[in-house]
Amino acid sequence: MSSSATAAALYAATISSASVTGAQPEDAKDKIHHLKDGKGFINPWESWRNMSGPAIMKAMIWRRYKGLANSPDTTPPTVTVRKPDFLPSRDTPILRATWLGHACYFVEFPQGFRVLFDPVFSERCSPFTWLGPKRYTEVPCQIEDIPTVDAVVISHNHYDHMDHPTIMKIKAKHPNVQFFVPLGNKKWFAESGIHEGVTELDWWEERDMNLSPAASKPAVSSTDVAASSAGEKSQSILARIGCLPCQHTSARTAFDKGVSLWASWSVESGGRKVYFGGDTGYRAVPELPKGVDDYGPEHSYPHCPAFKQIGDLRGPFDLGLIPIGAYDPRYIMSPMHANPFDSVNIFMDTKCRRAMGIHWGTWVLTEEDALEPPQLLKKALAKSDMPETGVFDVCDIGESREFK
């Protein structure tokens, strides 16, 4: 058995049974994102515009019929894919993040905590293996290649973010893994046969996770990060995981839109803090003439206030993993998908020191060209008087970056 496999086998997780009381907005207790009948969730901001699935599909088909739609060229080469180089053990002094395609990032924290965000390793992001968006870039590795996964954090239940075959492989390879999901998603895990190790959270809730050297079964305790670190700082691996708002929606079928919650997340361990944007919009933009800048001085559309609240109350963050793709056509996608100009604003609102772009380079979900998101990101950074590199970057699939 390798040293990394031994380390994984010797650690058992303890999740706090009570929510950690972190800073939150005054109106958080009002749960304004909950439907009054208790049967789902909404985006409670003026920056949101609701558009049903059938309406989106109809609009996209109409654009194609009228010859207005762009068909992205995915002929290789597009995004470079390389084999990841994971650290062989938990012993690392630095924050390290590896892009595994689309919204999936594997983050290695100082002092040993390992977390996987929105893992999807299947060929298609679809309920079917034979139909639906197919990868135009290969997966850089397999689940079996990742030495240690302590936690899996899921932003929402869309198929490009929560994938049944991938989840089951992770559970088989890493049986002590802990899953963190927004409200309403624990039922899906139970129906998939995963009855333990799933923590379901609402916006602004947090939980503490303590990894202790033990071969025992994961248990539930009220121990928090501060108390644990005093007695076991030389042995335990400590993490705080927080569920935060974002502007999106959810659905696994045509009949369950908004039944489960969507979220962005914060993860803190080893003295470093990461913000995971998952999948989100920033503002709802109406249909405008082609070429018109919706950030121009003549346009002023409400933007989602949650990101500034996150920055003010939970920031700053050492690293933000922020979506930059799946945004065109803008008038259809803007309520739920950020374009790079939105992404830079989310980056600034959340007070991230550095960021990496996610949610692009893997499947054709919308009409922008495959390599347009990073190109547009540079323009957005320049417009905000920020360097084009070194602050908010992109990388190859499978590439790791270190953040001091």
Side-chain angles (χ1 to χ4, degrees):
M1 183 180 288
S2 69
S3 61
S4 59
T6 302
L10 291 176
Y11 277 84
T14 303
I15 309 298
S16 64
S17 59
S19 179
V20 182
T21 306
Q24 56 185 270
E26 291 183 2
D27 62 354
K29 64 181 182 299
D30 297 330
K31 306 291 186 184
I32 58 175
H33 58 293
H34 289 230
L35 289 175
K36 296 189 185 305
D37 61 6
K39 295 182 179 180
F41 307 90
I42 58 170
N43 292 290
W45 310 292
E46 292 182 1
S47 55
W48 170 254
R49 182 182 68 241
N50 189 44
M51 196 171 184
S52 69
I56 292 173
M57 186 174 295
K58 180 180 178 181
M60 297 294 278
I61 292 173
W62 179 250
R63 283 177 57 79
R64 192 163 295 279
Y65 174 75
K66 296 288 288 185
L68 300 174
N70 178 54
S71 296
D73 181 8
T74 58
T75 305
T78 52
V79 183
T80 300
V81 180
R82 62 171 75 175
K83 184 178 179 180
D85 183 20
F86 301 116
L87 296 174
S89 74
R90 293 183 183 273
D91 185 19
T92 173
I94 201 164
L95 179 66
R96 192 170 184 268
T98 305
W99 187 35
L100 300 180
H102 199 54
C104 180
Y105 250 91
F106 181 66
V107 178
E108 297 163 292
F109 284 85
Q111 301 179 13
F113 188 62
R114 304 291 184 254
V115 60
L116 194 56
F117 293 97
D118 279 7
V120 180
F121 283 68
S122 293
E123 183 79 0
R124 297 182 186 272
C125 57
S126 166
F128 311 105
T129 59
W130 51 274
L131 181 68
K134 186 178 180 180
R135 287 179 178 271
Y136 63 86
T137 49
E138 297 295 321
V139 291
C141 67
Q142 299 299 324
I143 294 298
E144 293 76 14
D145 300 323
I146 305 176
T148 305
V149 180
D150 298 313
V152 172
V153 173
I154 303 291
S155 64
H156 65 298
N157 70 356
H158 283 160
Y159 286 90
D160 57 324
H161 295 260
M162 191 171 81
D163 176 59
H164 182 269
T166 299
I167 295 296
M168 300 311 292
K169 287 179 182 177
I170 293 171
K171 181 63 176 177
K173 169 66 176 176
H174 305 282
N176 286 338
V177 68
Q178 301 291 308
F179 296 94
F180 292 85
V181 300
L183 286 182
N185 287 290
K186 193 172 184 176
K187 177 183 177 184
W188 180 89
F189 279 80
E191 291 171 348
S192 299
I194 302 176
H195 300 281
E196 297 181 343
V198 182
T199 300
E200 191 179 68
L201 298 178
D202 198 357
W203 290 352
W204 300 107
E205 288 184 339
E206 295 182 305
R207 291 292 187 275
D208 288 331
M209 181 172 174
N210 181 4
L211 284 170
S212 300
S216 61
K217 186 178 180 181
V220 174
S221 167
S222 61
T223 305
D224 64 20
V225 169
S228 297
S229 59
E232 298 183 5
K233 63 182 178 181
S234 63
Q235 297 181 7
S236 294
I237 298 171
L238 310 167
R240 175 164 290 180
I241 298 173
C243 182
L244 296 167
C246 69
Q247 182 171 292
H248 199 59
T249 187
S250 65
R252 295 289 282 185
T253 72
F255 309 102
D256 64 348
K257 182 177 180 180
V259 171
S260 64
L261 188 59
W262 48 96
S264 62
W265 293 84
S266 66
V267 179
E268 183 177 5
S269 185
R272 309 306 296 274
K273 190 187 296 187
V274 171
Y275 173 71
F276 176 64
D279 194 356
T280 185
Y282 187 69
R283 55 209 281 270
V285 176
E287 187 170 10
L288 297 171
K290 186 176 178 62
V292 171
D293 178 9
D294 57 69
Y295 271 105
E298 69 276 23
H299 301 293
S300 180
Y301 306 114
H303 64 271
C304 181
F307 300 105
K308 188 175 187 307
Q309 290 177 329
I310 290 168
D312 290 344
L313 298 171
R314 299 291 175 87
F317 298 92
D318 298 289
L319 173 64
L321 304 173
I322 298 176
I324 64 171
Y327 50 77
D328 194 36
R330 185 87 161 124
Y331 74 97
I332 297 174
M333 296 297 167
S334 61
M336 54 188 168
H337 287 164
N339 78 355
F341 292 92
D342 298 327
S343 307
V344 170
N345 282 320
I346 292 171
F347 167 72
M348 293 189 292
D349 285 354
T350 52
K351 297 183 180 177
C352 294
R353 297 187 178 100
R354 297 278 303 280
M356 299 298 294
I358 64 172
H359 207 258
W360 72 285
T362 307
W363 292 284
V364 172
L365 303 177
T366 47
E367 293 183 9
E368 75 271 8
D369 290 331
L371 295 177
E372 184 181 280
Q375 295 166 357
L376 213 57
L377 178 60
K378 288 187 176 183
K379 294 180 180 179
L381 289 166
K383 186 173 182 178
S384 295
D385 296 322
M386 285 189 276
E388 291 186 3
T389 60
V391 176
F392 192 158
D393 293 319
V394 297
C395 65
D396 296 341
I397 295 175
E399 181 180 354
S400 299
R401 295 285 180 95
E402 295 184 344
F403 302 89
K404 297 180 180 180

